[in-house]
Amino acid sequence: DSGVTQTPKHLITATGQRVTLRCSPRSGDLSVYWYQQSLDQGLQFLIQYYNGEERAKGNILERFSAQQFPDLHSELNLSSLELGDSALYFCASSPRRGGATTEAFFGQGTRLTVV
Amino acid sequence: QQQVKQSPQSLIVQKGGISIINCAYENTAFDYFPWYQQFPGKGPALLIAIRPDVSEKKEGRFTISFNKSAKQFSLHIMDSQPGDSATYFCAASMLKGGADGLTFGKGTHLIIQP
C-alpha cells in the first residue's frame, strides 16, 4: 500500500458527461501529480500541484482541469468526455517539489470507461 | 514527440537469467532517471533510480547502467525470478525548478519462465 488513496476505483459514464476523480496524498506529501495510462499513449503526465498551487502542466487537454485543496487532497475534473478519454488515471504524491530525491508514490488508479 | 524511448516492448527470460531493458532520452535537461515496476491492477512502484553524475547503481538484483554521452540508460535484473514478471517503465524528469513530472517510456512486459 503506497499510502495514496484514489476514489472511485471504477467509473463508467456516457460521452459528453463530466466526472471528478479524487486523490488523497500520503500524509505530509505536498506535491500531487496526475497521470493518464492508456494502451496507445502509455503513461502520460498531466499536471502537478505543489502545496495548493499549479506547478507544471504536461499533456493535459483543455477539457480537463485539476485543483489541490488546503488539506492537500486533489481532484481531477474531466468534462465533455469522449470515448478516447477511457483510461486509467493515476494520482501520485511526493514529499517535496525537488531536491535530491523525488520518489513519487502512485495510487491504485481510477479506471474510467466512457460509453 | 516521444522523449523517452524504451525497448523491447516485451521480453521472455528463463528463471535465473538476466533481464535487460534499454531506454534512450532526448532532453539533456533531464537529471533524474527512475525505473518503475507495475503489476496488473496496481499503480507503478519505484524500483530504483539514478542521477546523471554516476554511471551505475545497484540495489540487490537490480542495476541501472547510465551512459550520459549516449543519452541511454538500462535496467539489468540479475537472477530473474517468476515474481519479477511485470511491466517495467523507465522514466525521466527534471528535479531542478521543482516541476518534476515524470516522462515515461512505453513500457516493457517482462515474463520470467520457471
Side-chain angles (χ1 to χ4, degrees):
Chain A
D1 182 6
S2 67
V4 177
T5 304
Q6 288 187 249
T7 56
K9 286 198 172 88
H10 302 275
L11 196 50
I12 300 175
T13 190
T15 55
Q17 294 299 303
R18 171 190 168 94
V19 297
T20 297
L21 312 184
R22 183 187 167 98
C23 169
S24 294
R26 295 188 323 149
S27 177
D29 283 359
L30 298 179
S31 271
V32 168
Y33 311 77
W34 286 97
Y35 291 87
Q36 180 194 58
Q37 186 174 33
S38 62
L39 279 175
D40 54 343
Q41 296 294 326
L43 261 168
Q44 287 202 92
F45 167 64
L46 296 178
I47 196 164
Q48 176 194 2
Y49 276 82
Y50 174 76
N51 201 19
E53 293 185 3
E54 182 184 302
R55 178 62 59 181
K57 270 186 174 178
N59 298 317
I60 189 166
L61 299 173
E62 284 191 13
R63 301 182 285 109
F64 296 1
S65 65
Q67 54 184 327
Q68 186 179 27
F69 295 87
D71 67 352
L72 300 178
H73 91 271
S74 178
E75 293 181 355
L76 180 67
N77 301 296
L78 314 176
S79 61
S80 303
L81 284 167
E82 302 174 359
L83 295 178
D85 297 327
S86 296
L88 260 173
Y89 290 85
F90 286 105
C91 170
S93 73
S94 73
R96 48 187 174 166
R97 62 179 174 151
T101 61
T102 184
E103 177 171 358
F105 295 85
F106 282 74
Q108 296 218 0
T110 293
R111 182 172 293 282
L112 173 67
T113 303
V114 182
V115 297
Chain B
Q1 181 186 7
Q2 187 184 352
Q3 294 197 56
V4 178
K5 293 183 180 178
Q6 181 172 348
S7 63
Q9 276 188 311
S10 60
L11 182 62
I12 299 175
V13 175
Q14 296 296 315
K15 179 182 172 183
I18 302 173
S19 304
I20 302 173
I21 305 171
N22 301 298
C23 282
Y25 63 97
E26 298 168 6
N27 188 345
T28 54
F30 287 143
D31 58 4
Y32 175 69
F33 302 89
W35 284 88
Y36 278 80
Q37 180 188 55
Q38 186 178 27
F39 293 104
K42 303 288 187 184
L46 180 67
L47 198 58
I48 186 172
I50 198 167
R51 299 293 302 274
D53 51 345
V54 297
S55 59
E56 186 174 282
K57 182 174 181 180
K58 183 175 180 180
E59 288 183 2
R61 296 184 295 110
F62 301 93
T63 299
I64 299 180
S65 297
F66 186 82
N67 185 329
K68 188 174 180 179
S69 60
K71 293 188 287 185
Q72 295 175 346
F73 58 110
S74 60
L75 175 70
H76 291 62
I77 305 175
M78 311 299 286
D79 187 26
S80 299
Q81 298 297 312
D84 297 330
S85 297
T87 301
Y88 292 80
F89 294 93
C90 62
S93 72
M94 292 174 275
L95 293 185
K96 288 181 182 176
D100 52 4
L102 293 162
T103 299
F104 282 92
K106 292 284 192 183
T108 296
H109 186 213
L110 175 65
I111 296 173
I112 307 300
Q113 289 188 333

